[in-house]
Amino acid sequence: MTPTGSRPHAPARPYVPRQREAGPPAALVRPEHVDATIGLHPGGLTWRRAFPGTPAQIPGARYFTRYLLAGSSHQDDAELIVAELATNALRHTSSGHTQGTFIVEIIQAVTATTLAVYDCGWGGSPRFTPRHRVDADHGRGLAIVAALADETGFEGDDTVGHRVWATIHVRSTP
């Protein structure tokens, strides 16, 4: 029963605006269109992200890499390379100290992807040759990077920090 002089109200219905038609799923984006987009920028596309210098940030660096290289034939290798380079920066430089940071850089060109990690310095120079036994618990990270990448290297020094990088060349599929 309603009070005198009032009308019963219809139940409230939320207003939902009409949605735009969804575009094609990412899986339908043709590789040549991705290559054309990358080719628009001399030297390829470059992404950088800074992370706090704690081991808890390594999964974030991996995710950053996986997200940016989604659908790439070398996505898994790139993710592992970034994780190894970031871990190396935390263990062997001041990036892993209080207030330390590391930066992940990904440069994607049509013919290659370069992955780099910048550290805060005050550590030894990176060595990409195996220094430890294959079954050792530590010391194999840069050897793994060298095995997965087509080229590796570093720039910088203890004072300004290092840029440690690895390049994977894109193989054309038959």
Side-chain angles (χ1 to χ4, degrees), residues 37-124:
T37 301
I38 293 169
L40 291 174
H41 303 278
L45 301 175
T46 301
W47 299 276
R48 287 185 194 95
R49 180 171 172 201
F51 294 88
T54 65
Q57 296 299 313
I58 300 296
R62 291 180 74 122
Y63 178 78
F64 176 68
T65 304
R66 177 167 285 288
Y67 177 78
L68 291 174
L69 299 178
S72 168
S73 62
H74 52 272
Q75 177 186 32
D76 294 334
D77 290 346
E79 181 182 356
L80 181 56
I81 287 170
V82 165
E84 292 296 340
L85 294 179
T87 300
N88 200 59
L90 295 179
R91 286 191 179 169
H92 302 293
T93 72
S94 61
S95 288
H97 297 169
T98 304
Q99 303 296 317
T101 62
F102 65 94
I103 298 169
V104 174
E105 175 184 72
I106 299 172
I107 303 170
Q108 188 175 21
V110 174
T111 58
T113 299
T114 300
L115 310 150
V117 171
Y118 293 79
D119 63 44
C120 293
W122 302 107

Side-chain angles (χ1 to χ4, degrees), residues 138-151:
H138 300 288
R140 297 178 296 142
L142 292 181
I144 291 170
V145 170
L148 293 173
D150 295 305
E151 299 174 54

Side-chain angles (χ1 to χ4, degrees), residues 110-168:
V110 174
T111 58
T113 299
T114 300
L115 310 150
V117 171
Y118 293 79
D119 63 44
C120 293
W122 302 107
S125 295
R127 292 186 203 117
F128 288 96
T129 57
R131 295 179 301 169
H132 301 282
R133 294 188 345 239
V134 175
D135 60 349
D137 289 336
H138 300 288
R140 297 178 296 142
L142 292 181
I144 291 170
V145 170
L148 293 173
D150 295 305
E151 299 174 54
T152 58
F154 73 95
E155 295 98 28
D157 57 35
D158 283 347
T159 306
V160 297
H162 305 93
R163 176 184 183 261
V164 185
W165 57 268
T167 299
I168 302 172

